[in-house]
Amino acid sequence: MDPRLLKYAELNVPRYTSYPTAPHFNESVDGVVFARWLSELTPSTSISLYVHVPYCQRMCWYCGCHAFAVRRDEPVAQYVEALGCEIDAVADASGGTRVRELHWGGGTPNSLSPERFQAIVERLHHRFDMSALERHAIELDPRLLTEEQAQTFARCGVNRASLGVQDLDAGVQAAIGREQPFERVRDAADRLRDVGIAALSFDLMYGLPHQTHESVRKTAELAASLRPDRFSVFGYAHVPWFKNRQRLIDAEALPGAEARLSLADTIGETLRAAGYVPIGYDHYALAGDPIARAARTGQLQRNFQGFVEADCDALIGLGPSSISTLPQGYAQNEPSVGDWRAKVNAGVFATRRGKALNTEDRRRRDLIMRLLCDFELEIADPRGFEREFAALVPLVEDGLVRVNGGRISVPAESRPFARVVAQVFDTYHQQGNARHSRAV
């Protein structure tokens, strides 16, 4: 690697699924504020609902999500009951209920029984207008997917599924606490397609312990042989200060910055050779997929689901730790399941913190969005951005970015470092000391 780039690969920078990013949320946004924001939505507002299922049957050591292992039925039953109350409260408070997208994440959404999953869907259909629903997506653990679950998902209108593949090397799987043979992934994909859920996405990871170029190449080749529509390729974020379970991973076995970038390149080369086109800086898709069309036409968006082909006017998060993105700002629920459930059952919104957006926040959010989605942007009036253009000078000298007047572009060879360029426009990052994952 060019030594000029290596220093950037070692930087810690936000993923920018929001701006400002979550570490800069504060408690000035509470349940009262969130209720007011909901009431200000209109009947024409297009809504994306996100349901966070916080439970897994067993925890993977690499996981940085708000999720917990559970083996008893009682906590799950209590969660489902509280979720129903939250659905009712949101629907009652919201000035708009027209849902265009529904996403399930976690945790492990298919840790729910088919009966409980269907009951939640029926509650949503009862309280929201689902007549315009276009995308109904769910994240799945292929190890748990049963025939009954697949049939239930199809019956409930699920039309897109994301499978957590991560890595298919047995040695790497043992080092991250997730044993998952290729055959299990293949069977899950076949099961979903057999019931009519044909739009599939796979998650892959690099930067895991004991990964080699040969192992990640084989993983990518095996995964691509199943022909999912999309891939999301994430760098493992080792943040044991944030998630204690990551202390089970041998930090000495983790690749360094240069090796991480090389592993990511190997995965990308393998997927491109298999017919997938790069989307943003960490997604890949078949050329006919909607996300690929959005990238070609300049309509690609980025939110908490990553790079997406369209964005609704409002995203409403349900469940513990979920984040809502409303026109007025961000609102995040209590991360603790117990605290979330206690507030919901008491008849109040479980909003813990958030961030009201001002005009400057929105302007910078748009700049960062376009830079990460299109790898270029035009600042017609540079007044007020003198600091940013000065900060870009060393990045230009190192080849990360090109600047021509007010036009800023990231060349193809530097796109893995796009977040480093985006960070220049992040005034909150300059002011704070939040800890983030590596740039690559």
Side-chain angles (χ1 to χ4, degrees):
M1 182 193 294
D2 185 330
R4 296 180 304 169
L5 301 184
L6 183 57
K7 62 184 177 183
Y8 295 109
E10 294 174 331
L11 292 178
N12 296 325
V13 294
R15 295 187 184 275
Y16 290 116
T17 51
S18 70
Y19 180 81
T21 56
H24 301 289
F25 293 0
N26 58 66
E27 295 183 357
S28 65
V29 176
D30 56 14
V32 175
V33 172
F34 181 56
R36 185 179 76 249
W37 287 358
L38 285 175
S39 71
E40 291 169 354
L41 300 181
T42 68
S44 63
T45 301
S46 63
I47 294 172
S48 173
L49 292 178
Y50 171 75
V51 181
H52 185 78
V53 181
Y55 294 119
C56 298
Q57 288 192 7
R58 53 185 178 272
M59 293 305 304
C60 303
W61 302 343
Y62 62 82
C63 180
C65 300
H66 287 287
F68 313 91
V70 64
R71 292 180 175 83
R72 296 183 299 113
D73 184 68
E74 182 182 9
V76 180
Q78 293 174 338
Y79 157 79
V80 172
E81 181 180 3
L83 182 66
C85 294
E86 186 175 40
I87 289 169
D88 290 345
V90 168
D92 287 340
S94 181
T97 60
R98 187 170 63 91
V99 176
R100 201 174 77 194
E101 299 180 356
L102 173 57
H103 298 265
W104 301 73
T108 306
N110 61 320
S111 64
L112 295 173
S113 68
E115 294 79 14
R116 283 181 171 142
F117 180 86
Q118 183 166 334
I120 296 169
V121 171
E122 289 175 352
R123 187 75 159 262
L124 290 170
H125 275 267
H126 178 64
R127 296 310 317 266
F128 289 88
D129 176 9
M130 296 287 190
S131 61
L133 185 64
E134 297 175 8
R135 287 175 290 278
H136 186 172
I138 187 168
E139 298 174 10
L140 299 174
D141 184 336
R143 300 170 298 175
L144 305 180
L145 184 65
T146 66
E147 180 68 29
E148 184 183 6
Q149 284 182 331
Q151 291 175 351
T152 300
F153 297 149
R155 186 168 59 248
C156 290
V158 172
N159 54 21
R160 176 171 290 279
S162 174
L163 300 182
V165 176
Q166 322 309 0
D167 191 286
L168 294 170
D169 181 85
V172 175
Q173 290 180 355
I176 61 175
R178 186 185 179 99
E179 297 180 5
Q180 180 175 279
F182 168 71
E183 292 75 18
R184 191 67 59 83
V185 177
R186 180 194 61 202
D187 293 346
D190 288 345
R191 187 163 284 158
L192 290 167
R193 286 168 169 153
D194 286 345
V195 298
I197 303 175
L200 302 182
S201 176
F202 288 179
D203 291 346
L204 299 181
M205 295 186 74
Y206 64 89
L208 297 172
H210 306 303
Q211 283 182 325
T212 65
H213 292 95
E214 183 56 35
S215 73
V216 299
R217 181 180 294 109
K218 185 175 181 180
T219 287
E221 287 174 347
L222 286 171
S225 72
L226 300 178
R227 306 308 290 169
D229 303 87
R230 302 177 185 177
F231 281 95
S232 298
V233 183
F234 302 116
Y236 167 60
H238 192 59
V239 287
W241 60 86
F242 180 61
K243 291 298 178 183
N244 285 333
R245 54 180 165 262
Q246 292 189 352
R247 300 183 190 277
L248 296 170
I249 289 180
D250 180 8
E252 296 297 320
L254 295 173
E258 186 171 5
R260 283 172 62 94
L261 182 60
S262 185
L263 291 169
D265 284 345
T266 298
I267 295 173
E269 290 171 0
T270 306
L271 294 179
R272 286 192 294 272
Y276 292 87
V277 295
I279 307 296
Y281 56 82
D282 60 6
H283 284 38
Y284 296 82
L286 296 174
D289 188 83
I291 199 173
R293 291 197 296 269
R296 290 195 298 269
T297 58
Q299 297 177 308
L300 191 67
Q301 302 290 321
R302 183 164 176 80
N303 60 24
F304 291 110
Q305 276 81 48
F307 289 104
V308 296
E309 63 266 33
D311 213 0
C312 292
D313 300 325
L315 183 154
I316 299 175
L318 302 166
S321 82
S322 63
I323 300 177
S324 297
T325 305
L326 302 181
Q328 305 92 331
Y330 302 101
Q332 182 174 25
N333 275 350
E334 290 280 0
S336 161
V337 178
D339 292 343
W340 166 80
R341 191 174 64 240
K343 285 189 174 181
V344 170
N345 289 339
V348 298
F349 285 111
T351 309
R352 171 67 178 273
R353 60 182 191 147
K355 185 72 174 70
L357 297 177
N358 57 37
T359 301
E360 184 65 12
D361 291 335
R362 292 185 176 91
R363 179 165 71 152
R364 290 179 179 270
R365 180 173 64 177
D366 290 344
L367 291 175
I368 290 172
M369 170 81 74
R370 298 293 16 116
L371 189 61
L372 295 181
C373 291
D374 304 334
F375 299 112
E376 63 181 16
L377 60 89
E378 182 82 31
I379 298 180
D381 184 358
R383 287 177 298 179
F385 289 100
E386 291 82 3
R387 182 194 65 82
E388 286 76 10
F389 277 95
L392 287 172
V393 171
L395 304 188
V396 171
E397 294 173 348
D398 288 341
L400 258 70
V401 65
R402 296 168 183 160
V403 178
N404 184 7
R407 186 176 184 81
I408 300 167
S409 60
V410 181
E413 63 272 15
S414 300
R415 288 178 181 178
F417 305 95
R419 289 188 291 145
V420 176
V421 182
Q423 180 183 286
V424 169
F425 296 91
D426 182 348
T427 58
Y428 292 90
H429 187 79
Q430 309 303 326
Q431 300 166 5
N433 58 356
R435 302 176 75 175
H436 299 282
S437 60
R438 284 184 177 180
V440 177

